[in-house]
Amino acid sequence: MTERASIRSGSLWLILDLPDQGMPRIVAYADDHDGKDIEGLGLRGARVNGMDIDVPSAVLLPTGGLGYFGWPAIAGHRDGRAFTLSPSAWTGASNGNCLRLTGSDPVARVDVQIDIAAGDDSLFEMSARLTNRGADTYTLDRMMAGSLLIPAGEAELTNFTGSWGREFQTRTKPLAHGLHLQESRRGRTSHDRTPTLFIQTGVMVHAVHLGWSGNHVMAIDQLDDGRRMVHAGELFEPGEMRLAPGEHYQTPTVTHVITHNDLESAAYILRRHAWSHVVDRANGAPRLHQKSPRPVTLNTWEGTYFNHKTEQLTAQADVAAKLGIERFVLDDGWFGRRDDDTSSLGDWQIDRRKYPDGLKPLVNHVTGLGMQFGLWVEPEMVNPNSDLMRAHPDWALQIAGRPLLLSRNQLVLDLTRQEVSDYLFKSLDSVLKAHAITYLKWDMNRDLTQVGDAEGRAATARQTRMVYRLLDRIRNAHPRVEIESCASGGGRADYGVLERTHRLWTSDATDALERLDIQHGASMVFPAGILGAHVSGSPNHQTHRRHTLSFRALVAFAYHFGVELDPLTLSAAEKTELGEWITLHKRLRPILHNPDWQFQLPPLDGRYVWGAESPEKIVVVVAQSGQMRNEQAAPLMIPARNGKSGRWRVASVHPAAPDTIRPSAAQRDLLAGQSTFSMATLRAAGLLIPMLRPESGMVLELEFIEGLDHG
Ligand code: GLA
């Protein structure tokens, strides 16, 4: 007899049937589940597959060959045999907010386990495991982490494209008939194929994010009856996932959000979930990011590059401390003989030419100023021009008979060899043990190619797991050390790496104009408090554009704020101005970094708006990219999720005199805090603020003053 299983996230129920044969069926998403009306609400489709029996298409992890004609979410075999999968004897067990479904296929001789965990609100995490119960090798060609059903009808897909320096570029397009497939084969999360998508139908928004830093697949498959299944999981190279008897394959975790509202509501749910449940959770760890305000950072890269000189760096630290900076991160160039990017990766010994007395004097100087000390590393990589490579030429990933392919002059170490992983752990461990270092910027500056292990087998899946294991080992050995995930900017930004890290370097593009789209896209998935955003020099090093300090600072200041320039080059006036932005950031960051309060609006006519809304204070950042086309800017519609009913006013504007265009008298009064408005007005009609000149912006602080009306 069919058993029913259900799991609830907030007010949303996911209702499943555990059939006698085949994968668990998705019966309904329901807002309230009293056991009745389920079939009415249901997601059951028409019987259109032409078979004489009812073969349900809406199932978790559908498999092929037995009357389901869609894209299979699991495909495996025993040397070409046992190529169909249809588990039976399902059981469901709930434990707290988790539901575990377990089935077994006596023909294919595998067990399948599906875990669904409910988040706080309209969010489910799914992962699955397949165990080989046979006496010979079972090869998995594909196994998705989870799949969910999207209603039939017109639908729009929003996902992200990009490249180095242009990550998280948001694209929306109608979802066509057939199969939409995203495959990423770079061996890291990638700049161009972010494992996130949003599907908007007339009925719902579904958001899907795969927490995985290796190769991935995301598939949206239209079924015979017009509905769609969305699948996400790891992508295997040929023959990569071979399970010996008794071995299992565990998928990454896919996060699904299902809401009736708009994209921003789904993004809000993802951001809150990431902050509260994902960041730093892998090691049952102390959740460092929640324990202390996110420190304002000076990163030495763009101000110093490889040209490390102790006196210069200590002088920079002195100025940084005076500016209010709280963390000093020494970027690339401190180890081996690293004068440019052609050498020394792998040689994690301090460069005595640059640091004759080691790093201690600089570390002690920085910590003596009350700042934390952070260090850049790129553990997975090796330059052919390094002592490590000369000693162990076989330690790089390679395929016998194939050329070694360099990227940024470097190769990738084979972390599937335990001795390589141990070497890296020891190298990092000894640097961390010897110094008061509380932060690592963990970089990864190339895509993976020729990913062959010592036996010549494809190894991306294992390599990715070994990177996670190394991160976990470091976190366990040094629980007070925070880690930033960087991969030529935002090339490794996903919930998988975020489980063992605390910050993402959003992009190597520090140009404020470029950052508008990058940060907007990244904020569809990640909370502001973990997205690194720095004020860099002008002209900008990547684009050569010039921007005012005010524009550079206001674009960065709501995120995990930092500075990436040589502070010794700042004029007195610039130091004062930058110091003021840092002070403002520190005052407002408890609001700005609270994901319950963060919001962003869809960009409109070149205007980007984001910020945070607490019950009594709303901080709104408004940035204008190009010239507005309209005569008058559209009213600013703040989501008004948390603000108290009653009267509000603009309490302050930063910079004090923003670069506005033809403000009306009423707008001038508004910005000067001389008029008040009700929360009801803010919700219904928005704020009419003046247009801004291109490449300028303003930060508004709105303040609750009294609760007189019923707004
Ligand atoms: C990558 C990072 C940069 C910087 C350099 C150092 O490009 O994204 O921020 O750390 O490496 O080589």
Side-chain angles (χ1 to χ4, degrees):
M1 210 195 71
T2 301
E3 207 189 307
R4 181 151 287 170
S6 59
I7 178 165
R8 185 173 76 126
S9 171
S11 61
L12 181 80
W13 287 88
L14 170 61
I15 301 161
L16 304 162
D17 274 351
L18 305 183
D20 294 335
Q21 193 69 50
M23 302 303 283
R25 299 176 190 186
I26 304 169
V27 180
Y29 308 128
D31 276 343
D32 257 314
H33 170 39
D34 59 3
K36 296 178 215 139
D37 282 344
I38 290 304
E39 305 303 328
L41 282 169
L43 299 170
R44 282 196 193 287
R47 212 171 91 195
V48 289
N49 69 348
M51 307 301 294
D52 292 343
I53 50 148
D54 183 13
V55 181
S57 46
V59 297
L60 296 178
L61 303 175
T63 59
L66 297 169
Y68 173 81
F69 298 114
W71 193 84
I74 310 183
H77 58 95
R78 294 181 187 279
D79 194 17
R81 296 199 173 81
F83 63 95
T84 59
L85 187 64
S86 184
S88 54
W90 284 97
T91 56
S94 295
N95 180 6
N97 64 342
C98 298
L99 173 66
R100 171 164 290 178
L101 308 174
T102 318
S104 173
D105 184 338
V107 179
R109 282 163 289 140
V110 298
D111 291 347
V112 176
Q113 177 182 301
I114 300 173
D115 284 318
I116 308 175
D120 298 337
D121 184 20
S122 309
L123 180 147
F124 296 103
E125 289 184 324
M126 290 190 185
S127 59
R129 170 184 288 216
L130 182 143
T131 308
N132 179 7
R133 295 293 177 208
D136 52 356
T137 300
Y138 186 81
T139 302
L140 260 178
D141 290 340
R142 175 193 297 164
M143 178 156 177
M144 295 294 98
S147 34
L148 269 187
L149 187 68
I150 314 280
E154 300 283 299
E156 275 195 339
L157 169 69
T158 297
N159 63 1
F160 305 88
T161 177
S163 57
W164 175 80
R166 280 208 101 192
E167 296 85 341
F168 305 109
Q169 303 295 305
T170 311
R171 297 285 180 269
T172 298
K173 59 182 178 202
L175 207 45
H177 172 76
L179 177 66
H180 168 93
L181 200 59
Q182 170 172 300
E183 296 194 342
S184 179
R185 298 169 181 276
R186 293 179 185 275
R188 57 178 175 174
T189 325
S190 89
H191 292 78
D192 61 330
R193 297 172 192 208
T194 307
T196 307
L197 53 86
F198 293 80
I199 301 166
Q200 250 181 311
T201 57
V203 196
M204 288 171 167
V205 176
H206 284 248
V208 184
H209 173 81
L210 184 73
W212 192 242
S213 314
N215 292 340
H216 76 254
V217 189
M218 299 186 94
I220 307 166
D221 184 33
Q222 190 159 36
L223 306 173
D224 297 340
D225 60 12
R227 298 175 304 159
R228 293 177 171 95
M229 293 294 298
V230 55
H231 311 280
E234 200 173 350
L235 179 137
F236 303 139
E237 297 291 354
E240 185 169 14
M241 196 50 66
R242 288 155 45 91
L243 303 175
E247 276 185 349
H248 69 260
Y249 165 69
Q250 175 68 48
T251 71
T253 298
V254 59
T255 303
H256 287 272
V257 172
I258 305 162
T259 113
H260 290 293
N261 298 312
D262 53 7
L263 285 192
E264 161 57 14
S265 308
Y268 172 79
I269 293 169
L270 283 173
R271 291 193 297 263
R272 289 181 70 208
H273 175 70
W275 178 267
S276 310
H277 301 292
V278 178
V279 176
D280 200 14
R281 79 171 164 195
N283 302 294
R287 314 300 311 277
L288 293 175
H289 68 299
Q290 291 178 327
K291 291 224 148 88
S292 59
R294 306 294 64 218
V296 179
T297 298
L298 174 88
N299 186 289
T300 61
W301 181 238
E302 286 194 23
T304 303
Y305 291 112
F306 297 102
N307 192 19
H308 293 206
K309 294 203 171 65
T310 322
E311 325 75 62
Q312 292 283 315
L313 291 165
T314 49
Q316 285 189 29
D318 291 339
V319 178
K322 286 202 189 101
L323 288 171
I325 286 168
E326 299 157 306
R327 177 183 276 162
F328 182 97
V329 180
L330 186 67
D331 210 286
D332 198 354
W334 58 269
F335 54 92
R337 297 172 74 81
R338 180 93 166 156
D339 296 331
D340 55 33
D341 63 14
T342 62
S343 87
S344 301
L345 289 173
D347 300 343
W348 299 109
Q349 291 83 34
I350 294 151
D351 184 345
R352 296 280 165 174
R353 298 168 310 153
K354 296 178 187 172
Y355 298 96
D357 303 316
L359 277 182
K360 268 195 190 132
L362 179 61
V363 176
N364 292 344
H365 185 81
V366 165
T367 53
L369 289 164
M371 291 186 290
Q372 299 180 27
F373 191 92
L375 195 64
W376 180 95
V377 290
E378 195 180 357
E380 297 142 73
M381 299 294 161
V382 66
N383 288 114
N385 183 10
S386 66
D387 293 343
L388 186 71
M389 190 67 178
R390 280 183 283 272
H392 300 284
D394 53 336
W395 278 16
L397 286 169
Q398 53 198 285
I399 297 172
R402 304 278 178 218
L404 288 175
L405 301 173
L406 292 174
S407 174
R408 207 195 186 203
N409 309 302
Q410 61 199 54
L411 295 167
V412 185
L413 288 168
D414 179 0
L415 268 69
T416 70
R417 289 169 177 252
Q418 193 57 46
E419 66 272 30
V420 175
S421 181
D422 287 345
Y423 165 79
L424 293 174
F425 175 76
K426 275 190 209 123
S427 307
L428 298 176
D429 184 56
S430 61
V431 176
L432 290 172
K433 269 192 185 136
H435 303 94
I437 295 172
T438 47
Y439 185 77
L440 287 179
K441 176 177 174 184
W442 187 300
D443 211 337
M444 197 266 196
N445 282 316
R446 63 159 289 175
D447 295 325
L448 270 55
T449 53
Q450 76 245 344
V451 195
D453 68 6
E455 291 173 22
R457 290 190 178 280
T460 310
R462 273 176 294 144
Q463 174 83 1
T464 310
R465 283 171 177 78
M466 290 305 285
V467 172
Y468 285 169
R469 203 172 292 171
L470 185 60
L471 279 159
D472 291 343
R473 222 171 142 190
I474 294 290
R475 284 285 294 123
N476 277 320
H478 302 277
R480 285 175 349 104
V481 173
E482 290 191 27
I483 302 180
E484 171 176 33
S485 173
C486 173
S488 314
R492 187 153 63 192
D494 63 79
Y495 289 1
V497 77
L498 214 48
E499 289 189 19
R500 47 273 293 176
T501 54
H502 307 83
R503 188 192 208 239
L504 302 172
W505 180 227
T506 318
S507 175
D508 275 354
T510 54
D511 178 314
L513 190 62
E514 296 297 328
R515 276 287 180 140
L516 293 176
D517 277 328
I518 295 170
Q519 290 170 181
H520 183 271
S523 300
M524 298 297 288
V525 198
F526 304 112
I530 62 155
L531 291 173
H534 295 172
V535 176
S536 62
S538 179
N540 180 267
H541 290 199
Q542 295 82 40
T543 62
H544 299 183
R545 275 196 202 105
R546 289 170 196 275
H547 287 125
T548 61
L549 180 52
S550 140
F551 186 58
R552 284 176 275 150
L554 81 81
V555 169
F557 107 115
Y559 300 92
H560 189 166
F561 191 37
V563 174
E564 188 153 337
L565 45 72
D566 177 355
L568 302 174
T569 61
L570 295 173
S571 69
E574 286 171 327
K575 277 186 209 151
T576 307
E577 195 184 340
L578 186 55
E580 283 166 6
W581 281 103
I582 291 171
T583 307
L584 181 69
H585 167 81
K586 287 181 179 169
R587 179 164 65 76
L588 297 179
R589 81 185 151 191
I591 297 174
L592 290 168
H593 287 177
N594 184 332
D596 293 349
W597 294 338
Q598 281 158 28
F599 68 86
Q600 64 176 359
L601 307 184
L604 185 68
D605 209 2
R607 189 177 72 184
Y608 292 71
V609 180
W610 66 96
E613 181 196 349
S614 76
E616 299 200 347
K617 186 187 279 287
I618 305 178
V619 186
V620 191
V621 185
V622 188
Q624 186 64 36
S625 59
Q627 180 83 282
M628 275 193 159
R629 283 179 295 271
N630 292 333
E631 259 308 291
Q632 189 49 266
L636 212 141
M637 305 297 293
I638 290 159
R641 278 190 200 105
N642 314 299
K644 277 190 179 173
S645 296
R647 297 213 72 76
W648 288 67
R649 71 179 163 81
V650 174
S652 49
V653 182
H654 317 277
D659 218 349
T660 56
I661 301 175
R662 294 190 301 279
S664 67
Q667 287 172 327
R668 267 198 294 264
D669 282 353
L670 178 80
L671 294 188
Q674 280 162 12
S675 52
T676 67
F677 47 87
S678 72
M679 179 49 68
T681 307
L682 197 63
R683 270 202 194 109
L687 275 189
L688 209 59
I689 58 159
M691 288 166 88
L692 285 157
R693 284 199 197 282
E695 297 172 35
S696 80
M698 63 182 161
V699 180
L700 304 176
E701 283 183 70
L702 312 183
E703 218 161 59
F704 171 76
I705 38 179
E706 55 186 354
L708 288 183
D709 72 6
H710 302 285

